[in-house]
């Protein structure tokens, strides 16, 4: 065999070995709106792209990382990495735009091999696939187990108490007065759907409530026909209600069923059930600042979100989707807003808030880890104070953010920290690792258990 031919053959064998050893890890990143998902994924790609210079350089297995390729072509619904970088590195620096849909990232990593395989293999490759999706979509999971009448009953219960009662105002009276078997007035349904959507928005913005159903009314995502998102709960209806063709009941029930069976179930089928690991991001500080009702609602929302990771109990769910997530990272985000000595307390308060749900998830065989994170550090510590720039203002402020209790009290009454609207630090550039807290710990967790 000629030398060239032999070299070609060796290269071919090597490529084949690479292909065989290429592993794929699929990570879901989720959180409720403004939890910090887009900033987190942007920083994650940035840390990988700059692995030789950031904290990753000294961490196993990243010290063997040879090259990183972020794939921006041929990907359905790509994550807006360049847009996010543009905002962050602008003058003045801005946070990325809020996102409304799911998006994907595909990153190829090549590692130098170690140990006995070193001579046999050229490199080891790993495909990291990241799916960013709104946590609100998981709030719809309970709908899979409900029929329309049960949902109406549940909504009647929710709207009977403040703050939802006050926020629903005259719309609630109208929904209570509608006779389910009466003929549908299409114009009124349209108006009521708009009012219901507005009501959900106000629940979120005015009262900090997080359990807002149906989730897609707030974040429709692409590919959902708008007229299918047109139904409301009939508050006078119950599980035994009925209505002939063309009635309020029949029309709303049919659309609810479509929503449940195609939109909610479709998402679980197509995306969720393929994930290996999940990162759940939680902005714990804003609700601690907002007070007890916001914490109460965050608790309810996170419990509902975590339902999707409670295996062994949820037999219908498992029968439908055969989920196989083996690890869950629960992360308090934006912890640069408190002094470093208190960041772990923020994480502890988050874990206190959802203790029972986390035990259930662990009990189902999922490994749960907690990381207090800051994807991009916007504040720096000086003594007991923080120094940061504020959104919309030039210059710097020096302030004391207030303290975080070591544990969350059971009644959820806390003296929250003082939060200011921080702008991103100046001078961020794609080719420099962004300042952060514990993104390296989280990246190690992602690769933990891979055969590298
Ligand atoms: N101080 C600080 N603020 C952050 C950090 N990450 C995110 N933020 C703030 O949180 C806001 C929301 O962050 P995003 O990354 O857009 O959150 P998201 O979950 O993608 O939000 P949606 O797309 O609206 O659901 C940002 O605009 C910042 O104000 C961080 O690491 N530190
Ligand atoms: Mg986003």
């Amino acid at each position: 065999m000629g030398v060239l031919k032999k070299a070609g053959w060796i290269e071919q064998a090597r490529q084949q070995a690479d292909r065989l050893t290429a592993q794929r890890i699929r990570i879901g990143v989720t959180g409720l709106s403004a939890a910090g998902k887009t900033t987190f994924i942007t920083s994650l790609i940035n840390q990988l792209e700059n692995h030789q210079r950031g904290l990753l350089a000294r961490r196993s297995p990243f010290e063997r990382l040879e090259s990183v390729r972020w794939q921006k072509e041929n990907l359905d619904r790509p994550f807006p990495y360049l847009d996010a970088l543009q905002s962050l590195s602008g003058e003045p620096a801005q946070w990325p735009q809020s996102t409304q849909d799911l998006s994907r990232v595909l990153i190829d990593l090549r590692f130098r091999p170690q140990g006995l395989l070193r001579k046999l293999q050229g490199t080891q490759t790993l495909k990291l696939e990241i799916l960013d999706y709104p946590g609100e979509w998981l709030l719809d999971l309970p709908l899979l187990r409900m029929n329309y009448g049960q949902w109406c009953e549940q909504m009647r219960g929710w709207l009977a108490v403040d703050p939802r009662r006050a926020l629903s105002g005259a719309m609630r009276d109208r929904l209570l007065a509608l006779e389910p078997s009466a003929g549908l007035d299409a114009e009124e349904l349209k108006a009521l759907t708009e009012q219901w959507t507005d009501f959900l928005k106000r629940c979120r913005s005015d009262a900090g409530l997080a359990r807002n159903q149906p989730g897609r009314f707030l974040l429709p995502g692409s590919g959902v026909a708008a007229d299918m998102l047109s139904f409301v709960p009939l508050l006078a209806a119950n599980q035994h209600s009925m209505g002939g063709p063309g009635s309020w009941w029949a029309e709303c029930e049919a659309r609810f069923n479509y929503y449940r069976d195609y939109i909610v179930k479709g998402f679980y089928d197509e995306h969720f059930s393929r994930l290996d690991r999940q990162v759940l991001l939680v902005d714990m500080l804003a609700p601690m600042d907002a007070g007890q009702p916001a914490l109460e609602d965050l608790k309810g929302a996170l419990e509902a979100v975590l339902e999707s990771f409670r295996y062994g109990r949820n037999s219908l769910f498992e029968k439908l989707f055969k989920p196989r997530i083996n690890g869950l990272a629960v992360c308090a985000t934006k912890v640069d807003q408190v002094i470093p000595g208190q960041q772990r307390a923020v994480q502890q308060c988050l874990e206190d808030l959802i203790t029972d749900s986390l035990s259930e998830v662990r009990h189902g065989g999922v490994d749960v880890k907690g990381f207090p994170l800051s994807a991009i550090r916007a504040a720096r510590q000086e003594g007991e104070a923080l120094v940061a720039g504020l959104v919309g203002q030039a210059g710097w402020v020096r302030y004391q953010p207030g303290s975080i209790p070591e544990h969350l009290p059971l009644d959820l009454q806390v003296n929250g920290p003082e939060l200011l609207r921080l702008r991103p630090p100046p001078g961020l550039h794609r080719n420099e690792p962004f300042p952060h807290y514990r993104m390296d710990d989280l990246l190690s967790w992602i690769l933990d258990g891979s055969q590298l």
Side-chain angles (χ1 to χ4, degrees):
M1 204 185 289
V3 177
L4 273 181
K5 211 164 172 190
K6 190 169 170 201
W9 178 81
I10 290 174
E11 185 48 34
Q12 250 181 19
R14 203 168 255 176
Q15 280 175 8
Q16 195 154 12
D18 276 0
R19 262 197 300 280
L20 286 176
T21 53
Q23 299 178 59
R24 185 182 278 256
I25 305 185
R26 292 193 183 89
I27 312 285
V29 172
T30 199
L32 301 170
S33 119
K37 302 177 290 293
T38 305
T39 311
F40 168 82
I41 294 176
T42 307
S43 173
L44 187 143
I45 305 175
N46 166 270
Q47 304 302 331
L48 284 173
E49 286 195 326
N50 294 287
H51 62 97
Q52 282 156 333
R53 273 167 305 143
L55 293 175
L56 283 184
R58 278 170 278 138
R59 280 196 91 118
S60 171
F62 299 99
E63 84 283 9
R64 288 188 289 114
L65 187 52
E66 277 186 343
S67 67
V68 173
R69 183 178 56 176
W70 163 63
Q71 281 193 22
K72 57 180 187 297
E73 276 118 27
N74 303 327
L75 195 65
D76 177 34
R77 300 202 241 180
F79 176 78
Y81 182 46
L82 295 180
D83 295 339
L85 284 172
Q86 183 103 33
S87 309
L88 288 165
S89 54
E91 284 253 0
Q94 285 176 345
W95 296 103
Q97 295 253 315
S98 171
T99 46
Q100 306 286 322
D101 204 351
L102 70 77
S103 67
R104 295 170 175 289
V105 184
L106 208 56
I107 306 171
D108 291 316
L109 305 175
R110 288 173 77 95
F111 290 87
R112 276 191 306 280
Q114 63 172 1
L116 291 174
L117 290 177
R118 203 172 49 229
K119 297 229 166 59
L120 275 176
Q121 291 173 328
T123 48
Q124 286 174 292
T125 56
L126 184 100
K127 262 192 197 309
L128 202 59
E129 188 178 336
I130 300 173
L131 179 75
D132 167 12
Y133 66 92
E136 280 78 0
W137 293 4
L138 298 183
L139 297 181
D140 283 335
L141 177 79
L143 298 185
L144 291 173
R145 267 180 269 126
M146 261 185 228
N147 59 36
Y148 176 62
Q150 288 167 322
W151 185 62
C152 294
E153 286 178 28
Q154 188 176 69
M155 291 302 112
R156 186 167 63 240
W158 286 17
L159 266 63
V161 275
D162 277 337
R164 284 191 177 87
R165 186 184 177 118
L167 288 169
S168 55
M171 174 191 72
R172 175 170 172 269
D173 300 333
R174 183 64 193 136
L175 288 173
L176 274 166
L178 272 174
E179 172 54 47
S181 60
L184 175 86
D185 173 344
E187 279 306 305
E188 189 173 10
L189 175 61
K190 193 163 163 257
L192 282 170
T193 301
E194 276 165 21
Q195 288 172 28
W196 184 263
T197 309
D198 270 0
F199 158 70
L200 295 180
K201 283 185 187 151
R202 272 181 281 121
C203 286
R204 190 170 68 184
S205 60
D206 299 2
L209 299 182
R211 260 179 312 168
N212 302 307
Q213 284 175 359
R216 301 284 180 126
F217 279 33
L218 292 174
L219 288 165
S222 52
V224 180
D227 60 334
M228 292 317 284
L229 293 182
S230 181
F231 60 94
V232 287
L234 299 169
L235 300 182
N238 61 41
Q239 302 181 46
H240 313 290
S241 297
M242 278 190 272
S247 63
W248 279 91
W249 170 269
E251 291 292 323
C252 286
E253 186 194 30
R255 290 171 197 189
F256 173 89
N257 288 348
Y258 174 86
Y259 183 86
R260 180 191 60 197
D261 298 338
Y262 291 95
I263 301 179
V264 181
K265 187 171 177 300
F267 165 71
Y268 278 95
D269 263 342
E270 198 180 331
H271 303 288
F272 187 84
S273 60
R274 294 166 203 259
L275 300 173
D276 301 306
R277 290 187 163 209
Q278 176 67 49
V279 178
L280 174 61
L281 302 177
V282 184
D283 179 353
M284 184 65 190
L285 286 166
M288 282 180 92
D289 192 28
Q292 198 259 355
L295 280 171
E296 196 71 64
D297 204 73
L298 177 68
K299 179 180 160 79
L302 290 177
E303 281 169 354
V305 162
L306 287 168
E307 283 279 321
S308 293
F309 308 103
R310 288 170 65 168
Y311 308 149
R313 198 194 74 105
N314 212 327
S315 58
L316 167 77
F317 179 55
E318 285 177 47
K319 220 180 281 164
L320 283 173
F321 307 112
K322 303 191 183 57
R324 59 189 176 94
I325 285 167
N326 55 29
L328 170 69
V330 176
C331 311
T333 54
K334 317 180 196 177
V335 297
D336 56 318
Q337 296 177 100
V338 299
I339 57 169
Q342 302 215 316
Q343 294 176 356
R344 295 216 177 259
V346 180
Q347 178 72 26
Q348 184 58 52
C349 287
L350 165 60
E351 292 178 25
D352 289 344
L353 185 73
I354 48 174
T355 304
D356 288 333
S357 294
L358 290 181
S359 318
E360 293 281 354
V361 172
R362 285 197 180 95
H363 202 67
V366 178
D367 181 30
V368 181
K369 287 273 180 330
F371 300 93
L373 291 181
S374 168
I376 296 179
R377 215 192 303 164
R380 64 172 197 274
Q381 189 184 16
E382 273 186 20
E384 286 300 290
L386 292 178
V387 176
L390 303 185
V391 170
Q393 293 180 26
W396 304 92
V397 290
R398 193 187 150 92
Y399 69 107
Q400 301 238 334
S403 65
I404 303 289
E406 265 173 49
H407 277 287
L408 197 63
L410 283 177
D411 61 5
L412 307 183
Q413 300 281 358
V414 278
N415 260 341
E418 195 196 333
L419 298 185
L420 300 175
R421 289 194 60 215
L422 308 187
R423 60 171 193 255
L428 297 176
H429 189 277
R430 178 174 181 184
N431 292 332
E432 296 287 342
F434 295 166
H436 64 87
Y437 284 111
R438 300 184 197 84
M439 288 296 290
D440 51 330
D441 290 344
L442 190 105
L443 269 157
S444 290
W445 172 83
I446 287 181
L447 294 199
D448 193 27
S450 62
Q451 284 131 35
L452 285 170

